[in-house]
Amino acid sequence: MVDANSNGTSQSNVVLITGAAGWLGGILANELLSDPKTPNVHLILADIVEPKAPKGAQHALTFKADLTNPEAIGKLYDTEFGTPDTVYCFHGIMSRGSEDNFDLGLRVNIDSIRLMLEAARQRKTASGELIKFIFTSSLAVYGGPLPHVVDIHTIATPEGAYGMGKLSSELLVNEYSRRGFVDGRILRLPTIVVRPGVPSAATSAFISGIIREPLHGEQAICPVGNGFDSPELELAAWVASPEITIQNFVIAKHIPKEKFLAHTRVAYLPGFTTTVKEELEALATVAGKDALKLITFKDDPTNRRIVSSWPARFNNEYPLSLGFVVDQGGMVPIVQRFKDAVEAGLA
């Protein structure tokens, strides 16, 4: 068990992150080390491949774990650090991946989340409180006819396997919270741009790729439209930067549960609307028009259909009322930050 620190903080700052080998999980782990509201943090990091502990972490355990296996999950809740007071449930099979492999998507995006919730249900924190269970969901839960601007009362009707899996798990988190088994917080994420690293299996991966690859001097494929003048480039997306998204992950940990609506723990994170064309214009503004020469257009109707089914405009009022924050200035500052990170060898 974790002892109380010199400030009287007990073992309650034990945080489990699944999907921790992914870039979001890794960045969050680093961010928690400097969060003044999470002193003496003890990190339990798990993924299908063993994550790396963040540099400077005095207390971190890393696990290679099959998160569809109940025994593997139980070990994460019963480490030498004791029961985690907060769980960030980040793991999953991304959108195109779960569309192409339906059965794997069911096991990872639904079954393993239920197992994670059940393990949390069976335990209490050292102070006797419910475990905070922070689940990352997606805009893919939406589909069908939608209002021009989505708000917190808009009904989710997914049109893909990924969105179906996420919505199913949202219902589980809500039910476990309603019954007093866990203290759930469900975060529907905008499309995060610009994601560093290699392209993911997400249908929306190109939204980062058409910025990331050219800034690395590499070719990028845009699966929307057949050229810079294609009307398909007006395809809109709801996006947020990695920096703001990570801030909001930390904020989610500290929101009093009473601030959420009585009937749901869902909150979409704040973002802004951009189009593929506006992304390319921001790239040209930051890196020059020569960067656009690295983009090849190969229109993919399936990709376009899935992304087009996701809403692109949200009312930020509710998430901002909870204390979440939003990007300012549109795409240009985001592209500029990523260019600066590339030049500094950080992305």
Side-chain angles (χ1 to χ4, degrees):
M1 299 293 287
V2 181
D3 295 326
N5 68 15
S6 59
N7 294 322
T9 301
S10 72
Q11 58 266 34
S12 60
N13 288 314
V14 178
V15 179
L16 166 60
I17 304 174
T18 66
W23 71 278
L24 274 178
I27 298 173
L28 174 62
N30 276 289
E31 193 75 11
L32 288 169
L33 291 178
S34 59
D35 177 32
K37 293 183 179 180
T38 312
N40 192 31
V41 64
H42 287 59
L43 297 170
I44 305 166
L45 308 176
D47 211 330
I48 194 66
V49 296
E50 187 169 353
K52 294 180 179 178
K55 293 181 179 179
Q58 296 182 0
H59 309 286
L61 300 174
T62 61
F63 293 89
K64 177 182 178 181
D66 177 359
L67 295 168
T68 65
N69 183 320
E71 291 183 5
I73 288 173
K75 291 178 181 179
L76 302 178
Y77 283 85
D78 296 324
T79 72
E80 64 194 72
F81 291 168
T83 301
D85 74 301
T86 302
V87 174
Y88 283 94
C89 193
F90 277 13
H91 68 279
I93 301 297
M94 300 298 284
S95 48
R96 191 62 180 263
S98 56
E99 191 72 20
D100 293 343
N101 192 334
F102 181 70
D103 293 317
L104 179 63
L106 291 178
R107 289 198 303 274
V108 176
N109 293 343
I110 302 176
D111 296 342
S112 75
I113 309 305
R114 184 185 63 81
L115 293 173
M116 289 282 296
L117 283 164
E118 191 61 24
R121 172 188 178 183
Q122 301 301 326
R123 296 162 175 85
K124 292 288 192 298
T125 67
S127 58
E129 298 178 351
L130 298 178
I131 294 173
K132 291 180 183 176
F133 195 96
I134 301 171
F135 175 66
T136 51
S137 188
S138 167
L139 303 189
V141 301
Y142 296 102
L146 289 166
H148 182 66
V149 178
V150 168
D151 65 21
I152 193 60
H153 303 295
T154 301
I155 296 174
T157 53
E159 293 188 80
Y162 180 61
M164 178 279 297
K166 286 295 189 181
L167 183 58
S168 298
S169 289
E170 284 189 10
L171 294 172
L172 285 169
V173 176
N174 263 327
E175 180 65 5
Y176 274 62
S177 298
R178 184 184 73 83
R179 290 179 174 273
F181 298 155
V182 301
D183 177 2
R185 289 105 194 280
I186 299 162
L187 309 180
R188 292 177 180 167
L189 306 189
T191 296
I192 301 171
V193 61
V194 179
R195 285 177 176 262
V198 298
S200 73
T203 313
S204 59
F206 77 93
I207 294 177
S208 282
I210 59 175
I211 301 296
R212 179 184 58 238
E213 271 69 78
L215 289 179
H216 279 284
E218 300 172 357
Q219 293 284 335
I221 294 176
C222 180
V224 175
N226 294 304
F228 292 106
D229 297 323
S230 294
E232 288 84 0
L233 295 191
E234 294 300 328
L235 175 68
W238 185 249
V239 302
S241 70
E243 295 84 359
I244 287 294
T245 302
I246 292 297
Q247 285 186 50
N248 283 329
F249 287 160
V250 176
I251 290 169
K253 182 178 183 294
H254 303 302
I255 297 172
K257 61 184 178 182
E258 295 79 13
K259 292 194 70 173
F260 289 91
L261 293 174
H263 66 286
T264 181
R265 294 297 181 90
V266 169
Y268 49 80
L269 292 186
F272 66 96
T273 303
T274 192
T275 65
V276 176
K277 184 175 182 179
E278 288 170 346
E279 276 200 274
L280 297 176
E281 290 172 346
L283 176 63
T285 296
V286 171
K289 292 186 177 180
D290 283 349
L292 300 179
K293 296 177 181 178
L294 293 169
I295 296 174
T296 301
F297 291 88
K298 292 183 180 179
D299 193 61
D300 181 341
T302 299
N303 189 299
R304 189 155 36 84
R305 176 190 67 79
I306 293 174
V307 176
S308 296
S309 74
W310 303 342
R313 294 167 183 83
F314 286 74
N315 183 335
N316 279 333
E317 182 177 356
Y318 178 63
L320 292 178
S321 75
L322 295 175
F324 293 118
V325 294
V326 66
D327 287 286
Q328 303 293 331
M331 281 302 305
V332 170
I334 293 175
V335 176
Q336 183 64 60
R337 284 201 301 272
F338 192 79
K339 180 175 181 288
D340 294 343
V342 169
E343 292 175 348
L346 301 175

